[in-house]
Amino acid sequence: MRIEAIRLRNVRAFGEAGLALEGLTDGLNVLSAPNEFGKSTVFDALRALLFHKHTTTHREVKSLEPDPNPGGGAPEVTLDLTSPEGRFRVEKRFLRRRMAQVTDLTTGRKVAEADDAERWLRALIGADRPGQGPTGLLWVEQGASLRQPDAEEGRGDAVYDALGEEVAEVTGGERARRVLTKARERLDVLVTKERRSPKAGGPYRAAVDLAEALRAEVDVLTARARASRVTREELALAEDELARLGSGEAAAEREAALAAARARLAAAEGAAAKLDGAREAARRTREAEGAARLALERRNEEEGEARAAFATAEAAAARRDASRTSLETAKAASSKADEAAREAAVAERAASTLRDRAIAARQALAASEKLERLGRDLEAARSAHRALADLPKPRPLPDLAELERARTRVLTAEARAEAVRVRLVVEAAEGATLDGAPLAPGTRALSGPVRVAAPGLTLRIEVPDAAEERELTAAHDALCAALEKAGAESVEAARSQVERAREAAAERRRLEEGLTRLAPEGLGALERQAEEAAEAAILPDDVPDEAEAAAALRDASQRAAKAIGAAETARRHLDEAREAASSANEKAAVADARAADARSRLGAVEAWDEAWGTLTAALDTAQAERARAEAALAEAEAQLPDTEGLSAEVDRLAQAARNREQRILHLNREAARLRAELTRDRAEGADERLASVKGQLEAAEADAARYEREADALTLLIDTLSGAQAERRERFLAPVMAELAPLLAAVFPGGALSLTEGLSPDVLVRDGGTEAVERLSGGTREQLAILTRLGFARLMAKGGHPVPVVLDDALVFADDARIARMFNALNLAARDVQVLALTCRQAAFEGLGGTLLTPRPMTVS
Amino acid sequence: MGAFRFVHTADWQLGKPFGRFPAERAAQLRAARIDAIGRIAGVARDHGAGHVVVAGDVWDCEQPLPETIAQPLDAMASASDLVWWLLPGNHDPAARGGLWDRMRERGLPSNVRCLCAAGPVEAAPGAYLLPAPWVSKNPGRDLTEDFAGHSTPDGALRLGLAHGGTTEFRQDTEQSAAIAAGAASRGGLDYLALGDWHGHKRVDARTWFAGTPEPDSFPRNEPGYVLVVEAAPGREPVVTPVAVAQYHWSRDTLDLTEGLDPVARFEALHEGGPERRFRLAKLTVTGTARLHDRAALLSHLEGRTASYAHLDWDVEGLRTLIEADGLDRLDREGSLRQAAERLHARSINAQLGEADRGTARLALDMLVTLAADTVAADA
């Protein structure tokens, strides 16, 4: 549709005279008027006409009421438009004398009235034809381009919805969205978003949890039911055994058997008592026999011992006699050997003395040679010693350097003094004297006052007291003092004095070294050595040959050693003989004592046979008695009944009876316990509860499986449907983007824009970067919103559904550069789209171009 | 001995928990089994029978809860004009220390008799019951073989009570308690009252299964009856099945063909039958349906569940016809239609496993149902 004219009367500031905006062109139309003019009133009136029923009392409509309203006229709005069906006028009056009507401007025929007119209008703008696409118009309200259509206020929704319908039509529509929403809601109840696992609080998770809990319960109840069955079986076994044990017949039989066994045991025990006498007799005879045998054995043993003692005593006496003889022989041998040893020692000492003399003679000869050498050394040493003593004592040497410095000072002082001295130039000195001495011609330097006398003349020449002279005197004094300290008369004398001292020192060193070599331990020591050598050199008389003397001594020593060894051997033999004799004596004494003892105990050897016979006879008697007694005992034992066997039988039967009683007691207790247990299990009705829980488990598992299938199916549905939507949205948006591109290029050269699912600007790409639209400045966002709307409008226009775009005080935030580009974009869009721009910024919008609308009072009624 | 009239019933399976059902429904189903006692008493009185024989599986398990024992006994006691003869079966064998011992310890009502031991019992002058009770879970032999060995006075009426499938049903091994054919004639019986098979069934002229009086599962036989039996020595018995069930369990099939309204077809299934609140139905839907018919049926079933004691359905076997018209109704060209086409393609893709195809079918069902809901919301 295209708007041709808008008229209003009794709307806010436009009273009875009303306002008419006429002659709107296909392209860009601009209403530029100051703030107070009421552009927004035009905008709101147009909106009221299009989107509110004439019967409404909506506050938006009420706000159209003039205030004050002296005439009391009702708000009226008229719209002239062109649609594919023709040219029409839509008129509405609100609040009072309400009216709505549509007139065909070509024929003047009234097309619709009242509610029909409303329906006609809704059909025109597409508000009541879901799925048919919008043919309404696009608004950019003051500041509203910055936000999404406000559903609460109900304003702008219709247009947005209309646009949305277009999108929805293509993408599968509102129904698809709702299906998707419902499917998501259903899925969301079942599973978690991230992992699509059963969601806590949802029925799926509840079924899974319930199934798990029931499985555990089934396990518990199964165990309990099984336990109950086992208990019943145990109880049956216990009762059966009790019945068997408690049977009267069997008990009587068992008691009779026990009584019979006891009687047999009593009889056997009587017989056993009689046996004890025979057993005692046998024991006694066994003891008697043992005693007899022991006596015989002891006699035999003692006799043997006595015979041995006799033999031992005899042998010991023989050994004692032999040892005495040996002792005497050894004594004689020892004395002889001692004598021989003494003689050999004497001979050795003589040989030794002779050899010592030979050695002494050899040493005296060596000493005289040494004495001669020592005499020579001593003489040299003494000479050196004397020479040393003759050498002058070393004195401290003068300091030659100091003397040189003093002399240099004198020479220097003399030179300086000479330079300043008064010169006495004598040119002719005939008869003149100087200090008494004849004065010769020539030049003289005066160092002190002089007296020149000539006949008739005496001249005393005074000399000034010069510093140089004083220095000279001081230098002289210093030199004299130094020479005196050095003990020299002159510097030269001091120098030769030093030279002499060095030579004397060298001589001293030479002498001292000689003396040290000759007498390292001193002269005294050398003298003592000489005296000792002199003593040692005295040669004895009658000197024997040393080698012979040594050989003789060796022989004598060997002989002496041999003799001493022989004497020691003889002495040892003597000691041994003494020891042997003593031992033989002792042993013989002991053996004699033992033999005597044996004899005293056993009596005479002759009587021994008789004693032996007596003991043998006693043993024979005891053996016979023992044999008799044992035979009697064996006979008695053979006749005794098996009391042990009988006793064991009685014990066995009695124990069995006790066991049985205890078993019965135990079984009764066990049965009672099992019955109690059963009562408890029965009360719980384990089987029935188990069956019930199993059924519930089956149901819970089926539920869980069903929810799982449902979740799978919902997931598949959601994926498939949203996939289809995405594809179709892409396809739908392509032409929108194509329409938007040139507009965008006009304002943001090189820029690109993506749209959200809700068709609002999403991301702006420019200068190689991406920016979320919501983060852009308000001005930029507004510009993008306007461009987007223009883009849609172009698309619709090209699709044969032209839609006007109304801009109410748009671009308030645009700077100068940007606003110029936006004007370009508006003009570009206006080639296909009808644009109505309302602005109060007259100066800023001067450059917009387009058709300027001139508001006039309303003339058409 | 003249004619002896009695009611033959079996398989009460008291205490069966029905745990798969919600707790409230399970309680109702349990209660219905106890209530059946009163209805059986009514049948006996109506037919002039003084005795009711229950041929095994009176209780569902060996160890029921105390109330599961007490309440039915109280119900039998209150029908004091009748004598109730109870036989242990495979579910409730008379094991030592088991349920039957507990009942005896508790004290049986004077008109209730347990048949826990084999051997003739004179129920009425000249009328002898020969029970073949189960005393363990696995007797391992055909207990009816003993009947021939139990003698009764000449001319007496011999009524056998036994529990177990006949060899006709069971191809078991030798150690089986299955009852061989001809048991009644081999045991010299005038009538053999059997339990175990939950539907009522004539085995031979003298042998019948009574079936359970109150069904407990979706049957393939005919439960919900008791048999009124008139027997006389040497004569064929006269057996009359009488329906006593409160709840009706049905296994229904809906075979759809394109073009017929599936909702109407479903509604016709249980039209005129017992009230739906007493019906437990297991529905299998097969055949072919258009996309929207399918969605409509599913949506209808969902809504109808509340009317039934239980209603569940299996549409795995229902082929969905996807055609342009159906898809147009869903969405002419939008993403809904595209998603539906893709899901359908997946649901018939032979490359995928059955589980994946099933998921795709379910997703498509959801898509159509949700889309239909949104249309309804728009309307």
Side-chain angles (χ1 to χ4, degrees):
Chain A
M1 87 176 200
R2 185 171 72 74
I3 300 171
E4 288 189 351
I6 304 164
R7 301 181 186 89
L8 32 150
R9 196 204 299 275
N10 293 325
V11 176
R12 295 186 192 151
F14 306 108
E16 199 57 37
L19 174 79
L21 287 179
E22 293 165 342
L24 271 69
T25 63
D26 280 354
L28 178 57
N29 300 279
V30 183
L31 172 58
S32 179
N35 265 331
E36 303 73 37
F37 170 75
K39 292 173 319 308
S40 290
T41 304
V42 176
F43 193 84
D44 291 345
L46 183 57
R47 187 209 285 285
L49 176 95
L50 288 170
F51 301 117
H52 288 298
K53 288 185 173 178
H54 64 289
T55 52
T56 188
T57 54
H58 194 279
R59 59 186 159 80
E60 208 174 85
V61 170
K62 280 183 175 168
S63 78
L64 298 179
E65 179 97 67
D67 178 28
N69 188 6
E76 284 177 35
V77 189
T78 304
L79 179 68
D80 289 356
L81 58 87
T82 313
S83 83
E85 280 77 35
R87 294 180 59 237
F88 300 94
R89 171 167 299 160
V90 183
E91 296 165 88
K92 281 190 186 178
R93 187 158 58 233
F94 296 97
L95 301 174
R96 291 178 296 283
R97 296 194 296 121
R98 292 165 181 153
M99 175 277 276
Q101 95 178 11
V102 180
T103 313
D104 185 330
L105 285 175
T106 314
T107 60
R109 190 175 57 84
K110 201 178 285 176
V111 176
E113 276 187 292
D115 286 351
D116 286 345
E118 296 290 358
R119 269 195 292 280
W120 185 93
L121 186 57
R122 279 207 304 281
L124 176 76
I125 63 171
D128 67 348
R129 286 186 297 170
Q132 294 293 305
T135 52
L137 68 173
L138 290 162
W139 306 75
V140 178
E141 193 179 349
Q142 202 165 6
S145 52
L146 298 182
R147 55 188 168 95
Q148 294 294 316
D150 190 337
E152 198 185 358
E153 290 180 13
R155 305 196 309 183
D157 299 5
V159 171
Y160 189 80
D161 285 351
L163 186 59
E165 282 295 340
E166 180 73 8
V167 181
E169 169 70 12
V170 177
T171 59
E174 179 61 10
R175 283 170 67 196
R177 193 179 64 74
R178 277 190 259 169
V179 166
L180 202 51
T181 305
K182 282 190 178 179
R184 282 187 177 130
E185 282 168 4
R186 273 172 71 168
L187 184 63
D188 188 45
V189 169
L190 296 178
V191 295
T192 58
K193 278 203 172 58
E194 290 78 20
R195 306 181 55 187
R196 302 232 158 139
S197 55
K199 186 176 184 176
Y204 182 12
R205 176 68 173 274
V208 169
D209 290 350
L210 179 61
E212 193 166 322
L214 288 170
R215 267 191 289 278
E217 205 176 337
V218 163
D219 289 347
V220 169
L221 288 171
T222 304
R224 196 172 289 163
R226 191 184 305 122
S228 165
R229 257 196 302 287
V230 169
T231 308
R232 268 188 288 135
E233 282 159 15
E234 284 174 353
L235 179 59
L237 285 174
E239 283 173 348
D240 290 351
E241 194 180 347
L242 269 175
R244 192 165 50 72
L245 291 174
S247 139
E249 206 172 304
E253 255 174 45
R254 285 190 297 268
E255 272 169 27
L258 179 58
R262 279 189 175 133
R264 283 198 298 280
L265 179 60
E269 278 169 352
K274 286 180 205 156
L275 193 65
D276 287 348
R279 206 171 274 138
E280 178 60 24
R283 188 186 61 77
R284 275 199 313 271
T285 57
R286 269 197 297 274
E287 279 176 7
E289 185 198 348
R293 180 170 286 122
L294 195 63
L296 194 58
E297 281 168 1
R298 195 174 297 136
R299 175 79 199 183
N300 187 30
E301 202 174 295
E302 282 176 346
E303 282 184 5
E305 282 170 0
R307 284 196 180 94
F310 296 159
T312 306
E314 210 170 314
R319 278 197 294 278
R320 184 186 54 199
D321 294 347
S323 72
R324 278 178 187 155
T325 311
S326 300
L327 180 59
E328 289 309 314
T329 312
K331 275 180 183 166
S334 181
S335 306
K336 199 174 160 193
D338 285 348
E339 184 57 26
R342 270 193 301 277
E343 284 167 8
V346 170
E348 189 188 12
R349 274 196 300 279
S352 178
T353 309
L354 197 61
R355 196 208 44 189
D356 289 348
R357 277 172 57 199
I359 290 169
R362 179 168 47 82
Q363 286 171 340
L365 203 60
S368 69
E369 286 167 11
K370 188 181 177 186
L371 181 62
E372 194 183 333
R373 196 179 70 240
L374 284 173
R376 281 195 304 274
D377 287 354
L378 189 59
E379 190 54 34
R382 278 183 183 140
S383 160
H385 194 259
R386 273 193 305 277
L388 269 176
D390 290 346
L391 280 175
K393 290 272 183 272
R395 289 171 46 196
L397 291 178
D399 185 345
L400 288 179
E402 189 189 343
L403 289 176
E404 282 297 339
R405 276 195 303 277
R407 190 162 68 170
T408 305
R409 184 182 169 192
V410 168
L411 292 176
T412 309
E414 263 177 4
R416 287 183 181 152
E418 183 64 28
V420 296
R421 273 178 192 152
V422 176
R423 299 285 189 277
L424 179 64
V425 181
V426 180
E427 290 175 348
E430 199 99 17
T433 62
L434 178 64
D435 286 341
L439 181 63
T443 305
R444 239 178 223 102
L446 299 182
S447 60
V450 288
R451 195 178 292 265
V452 178
L457 176 67
T458 301
L459 286 172
R460 204 167 51 93
I461 302 168
E462 292 288 327
V463 177
D465 183 15
E468 285 82 4
E469 292 296 342
R470 284 196 304 274
E471 164 62 15
L472 181 59
T473 311
H476 267 293
D477 292 349
L479 181 60
C480 288
L483 285 171
E484 194 175 349
K485 183 181 162 198
E489 293 187 350
S490 67
V491 173
E492 282 72 28
R495 202 178 295 280
S496 66
Q497 193 179 324
V498 167
E499 195 63 35
R500 279 195 309 275
R502 277 179 189 148
E503 281 165 10
E507 178 64 10
R508 182 180 298 276
R509 272 197 302 282
R510 189 184 62 79
L511 289 172
E512 279 171 355
E513 279 168 11
L515 190 58
T516 304
R517 182 169 42 77
L518 290 170
E521 292 164 14
L523 194 60
L526 191 62
E527 282 168 346
R528 274 192 305 279
Q529 280 176 16
E531 281 166 16
E532 282 167 9
E535 279 173 21
I538 297 167
L539 194 66
D541 309 325
D542 189 16
V543 177
D545 181 70
E546 192 182 342
E548 280 172 13
L553 177 59
R554 265 196 310 275
D555 287 350
S557 292
Q558 278 169 6
R559 274 194 300 277
K562 247 180 223 166
I564 289 165
E568 276 174 1
T569 306
R571 210 174 294 124
R572 202 166 58 243
H573 287 160
L574 178 60
D575 287 348
E576 283 168 4
R578 269 199 199 104
E579 182 72 18
S582 163
S583 168
N585 275 344
E586 280 169 22
K587 282 177 181 162
V590 168
D592 286 351
R594 280 189 184 149
D597 183 48
R599 258 191 295 277
S600 77
R601 267 191 292 116
L602 296 177
V605 175
E606 300 75 38
W608 284 13
D609 282 350
E610 195 187 333
W612 181 256
T614 309
L615 287 172
T616 308
L619 177 59
D620 288 348
T621 310
Q623 273 176 335
E625 279 176 6
R626 192 257 304 156
R628 270 197 307 279
E630 282 185 345
L633 177 61
E635 196 184 343
E637 278 177 341
Q639 287 166 1
L640 188 72
D642 177 15
T643 48
E644 281 190 14
L646 289 170
S647 169
E649 187 184 4
V650 168
D651 287 351
R652 177 178 65 78
L653 289 170
Q655 186 61 42
R658 278 196 299 280
N659 287 350
R660 201 172 298 112
E661 279 160 20
Q662 279 178 1
R663 180 72 182 156
I664 288 171
L665 200 63
H666 168 77
L667 285 171
N668 276 324
R669 278 199 206 115
E670 188 63 10
R673 183 184 68 76
L674 291 169
R675 279 193 204 97
E677 228 170 75
L678 272 182
T679 312
R680 200 170 61 237
D681 284 354
R682 281 172 191 152
E684 286 168 350
D687 281 356
E688 185 174 336
R689 282 159 53 84
L690 177 59
S692 170
V693 173
K694 273 180 175 168
Q696 289 167 26
L697 173 58
E698 208 174 295
E701 282 174 342
D703 278 353
R706 187 164 55 75
Y707 286 126
E708 189 185 356
R709 275 200 310 280
E710 195 174 322
D712 287 349
L714 283 167
T715 304
L716 178 62
L717 170 57
I718 288 163
D719 291 350
T720 309
L721 188 51
S722 49
Q725 272 188 324
E727 279 178 28
R728 301 188 73 83
R729 189 179 304 115
E730 282 305 309
R731 257 157 50 197
F732 167 71
L733 283 180
V736 174
M737 300 315 284
E739 293 303 329
L740 180 56
L743 302 177
L744 200 61
V747 182
F748 302 97
L753 186 65
S754 69
L755 301 183
T756 65
E757 203 170 315
L759 299 177
S760 52
D762 187 16
V763 175
L764 177 65
V765 182
R766 58 172 172 177
D767 304 332
T770 60
E771 296 162 275
V773 169
E774 61 179 15
R775 291 167 166 262
L776 296 172
S777 72
T780 306
R781 273 189 287 158
E782 187 201 40
Q783 290 143 27
L784 289 172
I786 292 169
L787 292 175
T788 310
R789 281 162 172 77
L790 292 171
F792 283 124
R794 270 164 64 108
L795 179 65
M796 288 181 176
K798 287 179 179 173
H801 301 289
V803 180
V805 174
V806 183
L807 304 175
D808 181 24
D809 251 349
L811 301 174
V812 278
F813 303 109
D815 59 33
D816 291 347
R818 189 64 64 71
I819 206 165
R821 286 194 236 140
M822 279 302 291
F823 288 167
N824 291 341
L826 282 169
N827 279 284
L828 179 60
R831 290 178 186 170
D832 303 304
V833 177
Q834 185 186 31
V835 179
L836 174 52
L838 311 177
T839 179
C840 56
R841 299 166 66 204
Q842 289 167 293
F845 272 65
E846 268 172 12
L848 176 56
T851 307
L852 289 173
L853 299 180
T854 310
R856 291 188 290 104
M858 195 168 160
T859 52
V860 179
S861 59
Chain B
M1 174 74 212
F4 178 67
R5 193 173 292 171
F6 63 97
V7 171
H8 167 199
T9 176
D11 300 293
W12 290 1
Q13 299 202 271
L14 295 160
K16 183 159 183 149
F18 298 103
R20 277 174 299 168
F21 293 94
E24 192 190 350
R25 180 75 64 238
Q28 288 169 347
L29 293 170
R30 281 199 300 274
R33 304 188 82 72
I34 299 174
D35 294 346
I37 294 170
R39 293 195 296 277
I40 292 167
V43 171
R45 288 184 196 113
D46 290 351
H47 291 80
H51 295 260
V52 178
V53 298
V54 190
D57 286 359
V58 184
W59 278 273
D60 187 53
C61 63
E62 285 185 87
Q63 295 292 345
L65 292 165
E67 61 266 33
T68 307
I69 299 174
Q71 290 172 9
L73 286 177
D74 291 349
M76 287 182 256
S78 72
S80 56
D81 51 333
L82 301 173
V83 181
W84 303 82
W85 299 90
L86 311 182
L87 178 78
N90 64 319
H91 274 257
D92 55 352
R96 290 274 294 278
L99 155 73
W100 303 84
D101 285 352
R102 283 167 67 193
M103 274 200 289
R104 269 197 298 277
E105 285 163 18
R106 179 186 176 279
L108 280 170
S110 59
N111 62 331
V112 176
R113 314 280 160 79
C114 296
L115 297 168
C116 292
V121 180
E122 192 171 18
Y128 285 84
L129 300 181
L130 288 94
W134 288 52
V135 294
S136 73
K137 276 271 181 196
N138 182 18
R141 65 188 189 88
D142 179 358
L143 298 171
T144 64
E145 286 164 2
D146 295 349
F147 288 146
H150 295 304
S151 62
T152 47
D154 288 345
L157 180 65
R158 286 167 67 87
L159 302 172
L161 272 84
H163 187 86
T166 57
T167 49
E168 183 189 350
F169 304 137
R170 303 217 170 147
Q171 307 295 320
D172 286 346
T173 57
E174 281 177 13
Q175 282 199 333
S176 158
I179 295 164
S185 66
R186 276 200 309 283
L189 302 177
D190 296 300
Y191 182 77
L192 174 55
L194 291 181
D196 191 43
W197 183 245
H198 280 208
H200 72 277
K201 178 181 170 67
R202 178 186 183 275
V203 178
D204 60 33
R206 294 172 189 276
T207 309
W208 284 72
F209 281 102
T212 182
E214 186 62 38
D216 57 358
S217 63
F218 297 101
R220 299 186 189 283
N221 50 31
E222 279 193 274
Y225 289 81
V226 293
L227 303 177
V228 177
V229 182
E230 189 177 304
R235 289 219 311 263
E236 272 196 16
V238 179
V239 179
T240 314
V242 179
V244 291
Q246 181 179 9
Y247 283 94
H248 296 267
W249 298 56
S250 60
R251 196 182 276 276
D252 304 298
T253 303
L254 198 59
D255 189 25
L256 299 181
T257 46
E258 183 197 340
L260 292 176
D261 179 4
V263 173
R265 298 274 314 281
F266 167 72
E267 282 300 313
L269 273 179
H270 301 135
E271 200 61 51
E275 282 181 64
R276 286 183 170 83
R277 68 192 174 99
F278 291 119
R279 182 175 285 280
L280 295 94
K282 194 177 208 31
L283 178 67
T284 305
V285 188
T286 57
T288 311
R290 289 199 176 110
L291 193 58
H292 282 81
D293 287 343
R294 178 188 173 98
L297 176 64
L298 291 176
S299 179
H300 180 75
L301 290 173
E302 200 76 58
R304 207 65 165 109
T305 307
S307 300
Y308 284 78
H310 175 82
L311 175 62
D312 67 47
W313 56 90
D314 172 8
V315 292
E316 289 294 295
L318 176 63
R319 274 174 295 118
T320 306
L321 196 62
I322 301 284
E323 50 185 9
D325 180 43
L327 289 173
D328 282 352
R329 279 174 66 188
L330 183 68
D331 184 9
R332 261 204 293 280
E333 57 168 349
S335 50
L336 270 182
R337 180 184 183 127
Q338 189 176 338
E341 283 168 348
R342 285 182 185 173
L343 290 174
H344 178 249
R346 228 178 131 75
S347 76
I348 56 171
N349 184 350
Q351 309 274 310
L352 295 175
E354 176 48 35
D356 285 342
R357 288 202 297 272
T359 303
R361 270 199 299 280
L362 186 55
L364 181 57
D365 283 344
M366 285 170 164
L367 173 69
V368 177
T369 314
L370 289 173
D373 288 352
T374 65
V375 170
D378 286 344

